[in-house]
């Protein structure tokens, strides 16, 4: 099947010339081509040709974009979309001044959602996730990461990973699956942390790796969750089993998570709201992506991660929603993009790279998605405007017109 997407006012390619990520100053570079069309075959970009040459190409279908703009399909590289229940009551407490960590310490927070997930069937979880995933697609998201982490026992972590697998089969977008057994300690292991770590490394990880139920192993390194020593043990077993690594770290405290993640060459480290000035330079030559989550700072009314300092230090920076019921109940990647501009002072070009090519790198998918380049998947987000700045400038508004996955229009406003 040959297709031509023609008559876009801008093609924002986010291309890197084969490097497939952008660090430091490179994040400001955003190739924008005018008066060109994209030629695709069997879901792959084959050529980017001047509009005047379009008639020389034989195609089965010509899609006229009527002056709209076309970007690489957006990538949300950090979400907890697989959850049940509501934490609206805890949200009310937070508004009244109770701290997120305080709620966690008394057994609420993540464990409130664990109870709801344990009381839900596989079908319940799939049904809960469907409209959420559809909402991401309606924003132009073509690759979506989803974590487990609300089961926290063998049966329920596997149930969540199965639900994510079913979602990947139902929807045309690419779902990247992450095992987050080390999210927090479940109530039955409150006083037996080593017992829970043993369960993760001896039973959960071997089963998940053997059955290919996840691409990544993630953890939460915090004073209220796992120590760096525990994460070290989990990461050693996970990476030997063939899982790639991610870590929630430097969110509230600095307890050694960053160094452990870098030691294990984690694909990404996520959060970094309290990253220490001494640690900025650790990203200068590192291939580990710094995934920043400004929705958490908004939702918890908390400090924002030092995006400018990371970029000055040559880091590979990505952005994501961290969509979850407790710390970022924000299913809106466009809002995250606007927050990154307003609160973290990221430039619009940096932001677009951070939700496309660098987000692809944070998911180890940068060879196939994240930019509009010959040989990559024809995954596009088409916006109803003539200038890419409008996507960030229109705060909380969805300008998306079409979501295109593997060359097929899968959503149209
Ligand atoms: O990324 N930091 C830990 N985990 C999630 C929050 C999960 C929750 O509160 O349910 C996060 O912020
Ligand atoms: Fe998270």
């Amino acid at each position: 099947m040959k297709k031509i997407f023609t008559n876009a006012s801008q093609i924002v390619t986010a291309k890197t010339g084969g490097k497939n990520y952008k660090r430091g100053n490179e994040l400001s570079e955003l190739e924008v081509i005018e008066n060109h069309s994209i030629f695709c075959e069997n879901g792959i970009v084959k050529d980017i040709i001047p509009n005047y040459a379009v008639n020389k190409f034989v195609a089965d279908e010509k899609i006229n974009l009527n002056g709209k703009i076309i970007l690489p399909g957006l990538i949300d590289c950090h979400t907890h979309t697989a959850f049940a229940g509501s934490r609206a009551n805890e949200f009310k407490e937070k508004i009244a001044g109770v701290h997120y960590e305080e709620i966690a310490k008394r057994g609420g927070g993540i464990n409130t959602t664990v109870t709801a997930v344990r009381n839900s069937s596989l079908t319940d979880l799939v049904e809960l996730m469907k409209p959420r995933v559809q909402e991401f697609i309606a924003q132009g998201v073509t690759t979506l990461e989803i974590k487990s982490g609300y089961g926290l026992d063998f049966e329920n972590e596997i149930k969540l990973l199965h639900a994510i697998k079913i979602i990947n089969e139902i929807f045309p977008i690419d779902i990247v699956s992450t095992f987050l057994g080390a999210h927090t300690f479940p109530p039955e292991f409150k006083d037996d942390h080593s017992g829970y770590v043993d369960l993760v490394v001896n039973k959960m990880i071997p089963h998940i790796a053997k059955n290919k139920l996840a691409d990544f192993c993630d953890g939460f390194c915090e004073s209220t969750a796992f120590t760096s020593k525990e994460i070290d043990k989990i990461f050693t077993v996970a990476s030997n089993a063939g899982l790639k690594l991610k870590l929630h770290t430097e969110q509230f405290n600095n307890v050694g998570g960053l160094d452990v993640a870098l030691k294990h060459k984690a694909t990404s480290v996520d959060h970094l709201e309290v990253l220490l000035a001494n640690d900025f330079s650790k990203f200068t030559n590192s291939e580990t992506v710094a995934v920043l989550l400004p929705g958490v700072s908004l939702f918890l009314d908390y400090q924002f991660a030092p995006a400018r300092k990371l970029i000055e230090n040559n880091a590979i920076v990505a952005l994501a929603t961290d969509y979850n019921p407790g710390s970022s109940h924000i299913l809106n990647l466009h809002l995250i993009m606007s927050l990154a501009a307003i609160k973290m002072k990221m430039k619009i070009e940096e932001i677009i790279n951070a939700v496309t090519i660098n987000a692809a790198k944070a998911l180890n998918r940068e060879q196939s998605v994240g930019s509009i380049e010959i040989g990559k998947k024809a995954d596009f987000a088409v916006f109803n405007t003539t200038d890419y700045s409008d996507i960030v400038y229109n705060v909380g508004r969805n300008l998306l017109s079409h979501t295109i996955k593997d060359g097929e229009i899968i959503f149209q406003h």
Side-chain angles (χ1 to χ4, degrees):
M1 187 72 162
K2 295 177 179 171
K3 287 189 186 179
I4 294 181
F5 294 91
T6 187
N7 208 15
S9 56
Q10 294 180 333
I11 300 172
V12 178
T13 70
K15 84 165 200 207
T16 62
K19 186 170 166 186
N20 282 324
Y21 64 83
K22 300 193 185 190
R23 61 162 78 241
N25 289 334
E26 292 165 353
L27 270 127
S28 312
E29 295 162 11
L30 188 65
E31 187 191 57
V32 181
I33 313 178
E34 292 179 359
N35 303 317
H36 275 66
S37 300
I38 306 174
F39 180 66
C40 308
E41 193 175 350
N42 300 329
I44 301 291
V45 174
K46 288 288 174 186
D47 212 345
I48 300 173
I49 51 178
N51 282 342
Y52 64 77
V54 159
N55 290 335
K56 287 187 211 148
F57 281 74
V58 183
D60 302 292
E61 202 181 341
K62 203 177 275 183
I63 296 121
N64 189 339
L65 296 175
N66 291 316
K68 298 182 178 75
I69 64 168
I70 185 160
L71 270 74
L74 304 185
I75 298 176
D76 195 340
C77 64
H78 181 144
T79 86
H80 303 254
T81 303
F83 67 86
S86 164
R87 305 232 302 262
N89 285 336
E90 293 177 0
F91 180 62
K92 289 179 200 162
E93 287 186 67
K94 273 180 277 198
I95 292 167
V98 187
H99 196 271
Y100 176 80
E101 282 185 295
E102 194 49 49
I103 294 171
K105 269 185 206 144
R106 57 157 210 245
I110 294 167
N111 273 319
T112 301
T113 307
V114 169
T115 305
V117 164
R118 289 179 176 181
N119 289 329
S120 304
S121 68
L122 176 67
T123 314
D124 293 338
L125 289 168
V126 171
E127 290 305 315
L128 283 167
M129 286 162 78
K130 278 184 191 170
R132 298 171 188 160
V133 173
Q134 192 54 53
E135 219 169 306
F136 277 116
I137 292 173
Q139 294 163 28
V141 171
T142 52
T143 303
L144 178 68
E145 188 256 16
I146 306 180
K147 302 176 198 294
S148 67
Y150 293 120
L152 307 188
D153 60 19
F154 183 80
E155 179 198 337
N156 287 289
E157 280 298 305
I158 301 305
K159 182 172 77 185
L160 282 167
L161 292 171
H162 272 138
I164 296 167
K165 192 167 178 230
I166 292 169
I167 287 292
N168 193 25
E169 284 155 11
I170 295 174
F171 287 95
I173 63 168
D174 294 329
I175 304 287
V176 177
S177 174
T178 297
F179 167 59
L180 179 55
H183 200 184
T184 194
F185 292 95
E188 64 275 19
F189 282 98
K190 193 160 94 43
D191 301 313
D192 179 16
H193 287 190
S194 68
Y196 185 69
V197 172
D198 285 345
L199 177 66
V200 169
V201 298
N202 295 332
K203 198 164 170 208
M204 295 189 197
I205 292 175
H207 179 87
I208 289 160
K210 185 166 159 242
N211 294 286
K212 298 202 179 324
L213 284 173
D215 304 290
F216 285 92
C217 175
D218 197 344
F220 185 23
C221 192
E222 261 302 329
S223 51
T224 52
F226 292 77
T227 64
S228 57
K229 219 168 148 210
E230 288 161 344
I231 294 292
D232 193 24
K233 185 169 177 185
I234 292 166
F235 274 12
T236 303
V237 173
S239 87
N240 284 338
L243 294 170
K244 302 234 166 273
L245 307 172
K246 295 182 160 287
L247 190 63
H248 288 69
T249 193
E250 326 299 295
Q251 182 182 7
F252 299 111
N253 298 285
N254 311 94
V255 293
L258 178 63
D259 286 338
V260 161
L262 294 177
K263 178 183 116 181
H264 285 275
K265 300 203 179 328
T267 305
S268 73
V269 283
D270 304 42
H271 278 289
L272 310 179
E273 289 88 342
V274 298
L275 186 65
L276 298 170
N278 280 343
D279 289 336
F280 296 155
S281 63
K282 290 180 179 166
F283 289 87
T284 302
N285 297 307
S286 172
E287 291 251 337
T288 299
V289 180
V291 176
L292 310 184
L293 309 165
V296 177
S297 303
L298 175 73
F299 196 83
L300 298 182
D301 192 15
Y302 186 57
Q303 68 200 68
F304 285 78
R308 288 256 57 86
K309 291 286 175 205
L310 281 160
I311 292 170
E312 273 168 32
N313 279 273
N314 222 26
I316 309 167
V317 172
L319 287 162
T321 59
D322 196 11
Y323 172 55
N324 76 71
S327 70
S328 181
H329 199 223
I330 302 177
L331 201 171
N332 189 333
L333 189 56
H334 302 172
L335 177 62
I336 297 307
M337 295 167 75
S338 299
L339 275 177
I342 297 164
K343 301 301 287 188
M344 304 202 298
K345 311 298 173 204
M346 284 177 71
K347 297 181 211 166
I348 291 176
E349 294 75 16
E350 292 173 336
I351 291 164
I352 291 175
N353 283 315
V355 295
T356 56
I357 189 63
N358 281 1
K361 170 95 171 149
L363 296 179
N364 198 36
R365 299 279 174 112
E366 71 275 17
Q367 305 289 338
S368 58
V369 296
S371 57
I372 302 179
E373 285 181 272
I374 294 166
K376 284 200 175 183
K377 292 190 184 194
D379 290 3
F380 311 131
V382 179
F383 290 89
N384 203 356
T385 178
T386 53
D387 178 7
Y388 65 81
S389 300
D390 286 336
I391 303 165
V392 180
Y393 170 52
N394 281 272
V395 182
R397 219 179 137 200
N398 187 1
L399 298 185
L400 188 100
S401 161
H402 299 70
T403 305
I404 296 161
K405 179 79 189 81
D406 299 316
E408 301 288 332
I409 297 173
I410 60 162
F411 179 82
Q412 195 168 349
H413 261 295

